[in-house]
Amino acid sequence: MVGLVVVSHSRKAAEGIAEVAAEMGGDTRIEPVGGDGQGGFGTVPDDIEDALAAADDGDGVVVLVDLGSAVMNADVAIELSDVEAVIADAPVLEGAVNAAVAATSPKATVESVREQAEAARDVDKL
């Protein structure tokens, strides 16, 4: 099953987003990661790399990020990791929910899950 990693500058935000997505994602592995490792805000490539490994069961991982340096640090972590992983260009919460649902399909691939995450960009809230 394709796994998910939610990267936020705030550990609490990443955990909350993962919790919401898990409500819809059944057995999908969803790993939240965030903060600077010392209780502050930020992202750390090594922590993201660890989350990639934890989320992967061999089918790959889709990464959802909040902003700015989270994208850069997720890129670094993916390059350092042996896990097949891609970053979804998606709103982090809505994209995580879409991705979690998509990952439950027996036919899910990293690309199909990323596509569903990115489809969340077009969701109107009103």
Side-chain angles (χ1 to χ4, degrees):
M1 178 178 280
V2 175
L4 305 178
V5 170
V6 176
V7 181
S8 174
H9 283 73
S10 163
R11 174 84 184 158
K12 289 181 182 180
E15 289 170 347
I17 291 164
E19 180 182 17
V20 172
E23 284 295 312
M24 303 297 290
D27 294 330
T28 303
R29 291 183 187 188
I30 305 172
E31 292 292 325
V33 61
D36 66 0
Q38 299 175 2
F41 290 97
T43 59
V44 179
D46 290 342
D47 294 344
I48 299 168
E49 186 179 3
D50 290 345
L52 290 169
D56 185 40
D57 72 357
D59 291 332
V61 175
V62 174
V63 181
L64 294 113
V65 297
D66 61 359
L67 51 92
S69 63
V71 177
M72 177 185 66
N73 286 333
D75 272 333
V76 169
I78 290 168
E79 292 214 12
L80 295 172
S81 175
D82 293 329
V83 174
E84 176 192 359
V86 296
I87 298 173
D89 183 11
V92 66
L93 174 58
E94 295 90 339
V97 171
N98 277 14
V101 171
T104 64
S105 169
K107 296 181 181 180
T109 65
V110 168
E111 286 305 315
S112 70
V113 172
R114 176 170 66 175
E115 286 173 11
Q116 287 304 306
E118 292 176 350
R121 290 183 295 200
D122 299 326
V123 174
D124 291 328
K125 294 190 181 188
L126 296 179

